Amino acid sequence: MKQNPQMITGSWGDITLVCGNTHEQPIEMVLQEGPASLFYACPKYHSENRSEGERACNNRLSIDDFFKAPEALYRKIIEAELPDERLQLTNYEWKDRKGTRYKVLKQGGDKLTISVYNKKAINTYP
């Protein structure tokens, strides 16, 4: 079964990023405006999104890194299409050149839920 060509060309609207830090449930990352550019961040960074005594989460991903992240997935999809293989990406993991870890938590049609764990960002303190 061939993948949808839209997935290969890169529809970032079909990707949901969730924080890969140690939360009890996956938390969808939100797009925020930074001093220089947009970035995705764990909403638990802000005190109004945390329960009393809960530690801030600094996990984030620059918009540039977000646009580069799916490249590894698209290469796998294209490789699978050549011999007309069916590809299931759930649980597929990779790291980028900066050491940020990604994992596909769910694949449903053209939709992907990807966990992001940026250790460098998490280890910084607000």
Side-chain angles (χ1 to χ4, degrees):
M1 177 177 160
K2 290 196 173 194
Q3 298 291 320
N4 184 328
Q6 179 181 5
M7 182 66 163
I8 292 173
T9 58
S11 178
W12 289 273
D14 290 335
I15 296 173
T16 300
L17 295 180
V18 297
C19 182
N21 203 357
T22 57
H23 304 293
E24 289 182 22
Q25 297 291 323
I27 298 171
E28 187 171 340
M29 296 178 83
V30 293
L31 197 56
Q32 302 206 357
E33 190 170 333
S37 65
L38 295 173
F39 65 97
Y40 281 90
C42 179
K44 295 285 187 171
Y45 174 79
H46 301 287
S47 60
E48 64 268 16
N49 297 325
R50 299 190 310 262
S51 55
E52 190 174 329
E54 185 178 9
R55 184 175 173 184
C57 178
N58 297 332
N59 199 15
R60 63 185 174 273
L61 184 70
S62 74
I63 197 76
D64 289 339
D65 289 340
F66 169 69
F67 287 133
K68 293 175 188 172
E71 288 177 16
L73 297 175
Y74 298 142
R75 279 194 297 274
K76 286 193 72 63
I77 291 168
I78 290 169
E79 287 171 12
E81 280 194 338
L82 294 176
D84 204 23
E85 292 176 4
R86 185 176 191 168
L87 185 64
Q88 178 52 251
L89 294 169
T90 301
N91 295 318
Y92 177 69
E93 298 180 51
W94 75 100
K95 284 184 182 181
D96 67 14
R97 63 186 179 1
K98 295 179 180 178
T100 302
R101 294 190 324 230
Y102 303 90
K103 181 177 182 179
V104 177
L105 299 179
K106 183 179 177 185
Q107 176 185 2
D110 295 339
K111 305 284 185 192
L112 294 173
T113 300
I114 300 175
S115 170
V116 176
Y117 182 80
N118 182 344
K119 185 177 182 176
K120 289 180 184 178
I122 289 171
N123 288 334
T124 60
Y125 298 98

